[in-house]
Amino acid sequence: MPRRYARPVTFETRPAVYTIPPHRAFADALAAGLIAQHGGGELGLAHGIVLVPNNRAGRAISEAFVRRSEPGGLLLPRLIPVGDPELDERIGGALDPVGEGDPIPPAIDPVERLFLLARLIERQMADVDAAEALRLAEDLARTLDQLLVEEVDPARLREFAADLPDLSIHWQTSLARLTVILDQWPRELAARGRIDLADRRNRLLRAVARRWRADPPRGFVCAAGITTSAPAIAGLLRTVARLPQGSVVLPGFDLAMPQAEWDALGPHEPDAVTGRRRPSIETHPQYHLKLLLDRMGVGRGEIERWRWGGGRDAPAVRSRAITNAMAPAAFTSKWQVLAPADRRLSGVRALELADPAEEAQTIALALREALEEPGRTAALVTPDRVLARRVSAHLERWEIEADDSAGRPLSQTAPGTLLIALAAAAAEHFAPVPLLALLKHPLVRQGETRLAWLDGARMLDLALRGPRPPAGLAGIHEHLSDWSGRDRDLRKAALAWWKDASPLLAPLEQAFRTERAQVAGLLATLREAASALTGDAAWAGPAGRAAAELLTAVEPASAHGPSHAAPSTLPAIIEQLMTAVAVRPPYGQHPRIAILGLLEARLQQADLMILAGLNEGTWPQLPTPDPWLAPRLRSELGLPSLERRIGLSGHDFACALGGRQVLITRARRDSRAPAVASRFWLRLEAMTGGLTRSPLHKKWAQALDRPTTYSPAERPAPAPRPEDRPRSISVTEVDRLKADPFAFYARRMLRLSALDMPDADPGAAWRGTAVHAVLERWMKEDDCDPAKLRPRAEQLLADSNAHPLMRALWQPRLLEAIDWIAAQVAENEAKGRVPLRAEAWGETDRIAGVRLHGMADRIDRLADGSLAIVDYKTGTPPGPKAVGEGYSMQLGLLGLIAEHGGFADIEGVPACFEYWSLAKKAGTLGYVASPVAGRNGLDPAEFTTIAARNFIAAAEAWLTGDAPFTAKLHPEYAPYGDYDQLMRLDEWYGRER
């Protein structure tokens, strides 16, 4: 057994600090070196401790040890994340024994801390709701952690409040609020006997360093892959580097960087005259390592190269090229004189794709290709989680489930989306869209009853199409109980199902009925509703267990949060909390395909490394603004600038670029606009004179879904037998029959009709129907009294379930147009023109052997005894050109029905045909237009004759004849696209014309 070293550690000892260059696989090289140094005997490694950045890094290093141990076994050292909140328990007896020194208090639960900070914010900002308070609390927690990690006393903020009077007003307000909150926060912690997790971590790290300096561990201690420059971590690494068997191994520290470039990074000494410091280059990949070495008290010349390789290393020339590519901007002129060997990136290829969809498919194909070689591994490295999910979806084509180190946010899993759907449906008072999303959720009613449940949900879906019904479960019941329309049978069936389904949601509606409620009570109701709808399915599997654990933690913690919350904010609260929880499947992933985060890629490499999403704003990501501390204030406090994350991203990129085979990709545009190439991509392009392209994968991806032969559909022209064709037609369908016979065929013979969207805003058709209903009742019940028309229209708007914005936009226009109609009718009555009937139904079967029918919006009796046929339009009426070409003959066909006595109890010759439009003309709403008036109008006496001639021709061709129902015969008069997909319009339109 190794002897225990009793000699105290002194800082005069030469530090043992090493670096593994980018061209070597960090985890494999580390494992090889530790085995070579300490692997003698069965327990050689088992006495050692390896400090790692986090759990995922520990997993990567553990897998590297496993690879090195084959075919025999190996007892691994303890792998301990330095950020572990229970670091004292993980390290074991390395700390002071019980009774020596003051014990370190436990850390406050992160969820309870979030809600406590949200309550403090609510007290300072009375105008924020609970969801906004929690969002600000997350940012505040992050700022507080940075102060603690950098060991900056929050009390210093009060000094700056007086010393920086020139700060912008909003920053002064933010600073004042932050100062008050941070004054109250220690009292909140003390009352609970807790400390911040970051504070506890600092104390643990300092306790470990102090104990190890006094009494070094028996076995070796290696700090591997830790690049955080926080003072407590730097202090621990300073101690580890000087232990008798201690070592610090840094990833990708640049030993070849020229001294002038190294000195230019900063931090710089103050200017002797002005006292100001030159800004440091915090965006450089080596800056944070330089800061770490300064805090460790280690000189650059004391760092040595790790002697062992990983077995899957790239050529050493790769690291030289990476060094040159990442040179500070002021030194990039050297690229012009670099030797070819110093700029060569052999084994690195690039792909520039059109968009993220093509990028994802190409990456998936490259990963799939890697599996063709036995034993070969491949990894995708990207900070773009959307791109990673797309690649995962493409890999499922080959039944490959990639090992994704980041997992999936709980909010995107089935249990997470169920909880969000429940909260959203209740918050929106069970509006159709969120309600249907909930009822059709894949976890609801799993098992034998699932199909019957879906049948009922689909019936409800059809019954809720169109404008929104009244709010709440009772409103849906009321909507389904209205059997006056043509869909009464559907509504009856849906109502029968709804009576059984709605009680499951009633407790949720009751809890969300109040304006403000306790978050804990809302969450409890949400949990019970999820169980009622799904049984145990909502809490099964890794995601279900994570959801249950989150609710278990949040319900008691929310009692310490904002005093009350509006139920409408619960969906945002739930989603925010679940987004912070990652769910990783415990097993079943492919052993040779991985999707890595940036930190994992820094510590391990695959045979093929694909670095994707190389666009500015993605890699590197744009710095997230700090809503609490101004940039100047962060600088004065000594906190890292927001731009330092760019340097960390650059270091991650440099380490991942050292893989044996590397493919880097970017899309020329994102989902919204053209994208700018990443600064890292542009550096490589500029240094090398153009990266080597890899066109083969792009061609494969494009060919993957490309058919070998194209067989576009021909223009459809079905020709059923004459005896199978309809023998009746509405006056409004004649234009469709002539302009787009296929659409008429699909509607009348196939009986296919377009469905309204659920919860649709009232469109032109709905507005027209509503106006017609108002005018009909006004005529039948109010005897066209002008004083009663406007109140009827106002009642229509009050009863409407339209979106308030739509109602506000439409109401002034409608009321002005209604006033115009009332005035117009009164003016006509003064001239002897009397309204006879509104919504008059008429039909005749005396024309071409076809029954022609239709509804006249209004029929008036003129002073000379003739008839006037009126059609209301909420938009612009048809123009003379359409009428002259035989279309828009609705008024003429209604006149034709009148001539044949088709309107009951109405006799007379139609002599006037008018459109009453509610659209704007000449600055006013409402005007009268007629196809038989004006310079371009037809002769009123000939109008019905022309309409009859056009109708007979159409009827004899398509209704009693055998003419084919050709699609889009006259597309200029077929503006609606309800059947475009059915006729496969895009495949033939334009090819035949």
Side-chain angles (χ1 to χ4, degrees), residues 17 147 170 418 496 515 526 578 653 668 836 876-877 907 917 949:
V17 182
L147 291 171
H170 75 279
L418 173 71
E515 291 187 2
L526 203 67
M578 291 195 297
F653 178 74
R668 286 190 290 271
L836 288 180
T876 303
E907 296 181 356
S917 173
R949 185 166 59 244

Side-chain angles (χ1 to χ4, degrees), residues 265-338:
L265 298 182
H268 302 286
E269 295 295 327
D271 185 86
V273 178
T274 64
R276 295 181 179 177
R277 298 175 184 267
R278 279 192 298 148
S280 301
I281 310 177
E282 294 192 52
T283 58
H284 193 276
Q286 295 292 311
Y287 176 81
H288 66 290
L289 293 175
K290 183 177 183 182
L291 187 61
L292 174 61
L293 292 181
D294 290 345
R295 290 177 173 178
M296 289 174 60
V298 175
R300 185 184 181 209
E302 296 177 292
I303 299 177
E304 301 178 32
R305 188 182 300 274
W306 191 254
R307 293 192 293 115
W308 294 271
R312 56 175 73 183
D313 304 337
V317 70
R318 178 78 58 79
S319 291
R320 288 209 308 271
I322 293 173
T323 296
N324 292 322
M326 295 299 172
F331 297 88
T332 53
S333 58
K334 69 178 182 179
W335 291 346
Q336 302 176 17
V337 295
L338 282 178

Side-chain angles (χ1 to χ4, degrees), residues 315-386:
V317 70
R318 178 78 58 79
S319 291
R320 288 209 308 271
I322 293 173
T323 296
N324 292 322
M326 295 299 172
F331 297 88
T332 53
S333 58
K334 69 178 182 179
W335 291 346
Q336 302 176 17
V337 295
L338 282 178
D342 293 334
R343 69 171 78 228
R344 185 178 300 124
L345 286 173
S346 301
V348 177
R349 295 166 296 161
L351 263 179
E352 201 167 15
L353 291 313
D355 52 43
E358 186 179 36
E359 184 180 14
Q361 179 146 304
T362 304
I363 291 169
L365 198 59
L367 293 171
R368 175 64 184 84
E369 182 201 17
L371 297 181
E372 292 298 301
E373 182 179 331
R376 192 181 186 205
T377 58
L380 166 64
V381 183
T382 180
D384 187 345
R385 294 304 307 162
V386 175

Side-chain angles (χ1 to χ4, degrees), residues 486 724-728 733 741-755 978-979 982:
R486 293 185 223 173
D724 294 332
R725 303 186 183 212
R727 289 295 191 271
S728 68
E733 292 179 312
F742 181 84
F744 177 86
Y745 165 82
R747 181 180 178 85
R748 290 295 305 277
M749 298 195 69
L750 300 183
R751 299 184 183 278
L752 300 174
S753 57
L755 295 174
D978 295 345
Y979 303 98
L982 180 64

Side-chain angles (χ1 to χ4, degrees), residues 523-789:
L523 291 174
T525 306
L526 203 67
R527 171 172 42 78
E528 292 167 2
S531 296
L533 284 171
T534 68
D536 294 332
W539 321 114
R545 289 191 292 272
E549 291 169 2
L550 177 65
L551 290 181
T552 302
V554 169
E555 285 186 38
S558 62
H560 307 292
S563 55
H564 290 85
S568 60
T569 64
L570 189 62
I573 293 174
I574 286 288
E575 185 169 8
Q576 176 183 341
L577 293 171
M578 291 195 297
T579 300
V581 178
V583 179
R584 300 176 184 88
Y587 55 84
Q589 296 78 42
H590 200 283
R592 293 195 283 142
I593 298 294
I595 298 176
L596 304 177
L598 300 189
L599 178 58
E600 289 82 11
R602 187 192 307 169
L603 301 185
Q604 60 183 314
Q605 290 176 355
D607 296 318
L608 172 64
M609 298 289 287
I610 301 178
L611 316 185
L614 266 296
N615 281 331
E616 201 68 13
T618 301
W619 194 351
Q621 293 180 330
L622 294 176
T624 303
D626 184 347
W628 292 101
L629 292 178
R632 178 181 173 188
L633 194 55
R634 293 179 64 89
S635 176
E636 295 285 349
L637 289 169
L639 295 178
S641 72
L642 299 177
E643 287 74 22
R644 188 178 296 182
R645 293 188 62 84
I646 296 176
L648 297 174
S649 292
H651 186 246
D652 297 333
F653 178 74
C655 291
L657 197 62
R660 182 185 299 176
Q661 295 290 326
V662 179
L663 176 65
I664 61 175
T665 70
R666 66 171 293 263
R668 286 190 290 271
R669 63 172 297 118
D670 58 21
S671 58
R672 294 168 296 180
V676 178
S678 165
R679 64 190 70 190
F680 307 139
W681 175 288
L682 295 177
R683 279 176 168 268
L684 298 183
E685 288 272 25
M687 185 193 73
T688 60
L691 290 165
T692 303
R693 292 303 195 256
S694 178
L696 193 57
H697 291 101
K698 181 178 180 180
K699 291 179 180 178
W700 287 348
Q702 292 172 343
L704 191 60
D705 296 318
R706 183 189 301 143
T708 54
T709 59
Y710 287 91
S711 300
E714 300 294 330
R715 173 185 287 196
R721 298 178 302 174
E723 56 268 28
D724 294 332
R725 303 186 183 212
R727 289 295 191 271
S728 68
I729 187 171
S730 167
V731 295
T732 57
E733 292 179 312
V734 175
D735 277 359
R736 186 192 299 266
L737 175 64
K738 295 169 59 179
D740 191 357
F742 181 84
F744 177 86
Y745 165 82
R747 181 180 178 85
R748 290 295 305 277
M749 298 195 69
L750 300 183
R751 299 184 183 278
L752 300 174
S753 57
L755 295 174
D756 291 332
M757 296 295 293
D759 202 4
D761 288 325
W766 183 89
R767 292 196 301 266
T769 301
V771 169
H772 282 70
V774 168
L775 295 174
E776 179 186 9
R777 292 181 183 177
W778 174 62
M779 185 172 175
K780 291 180 178 179
E781 300 175 13
D782 300 330
D783 199 22
C784 292
D785 183 353
K788 296 183 179 180
L789 181 54

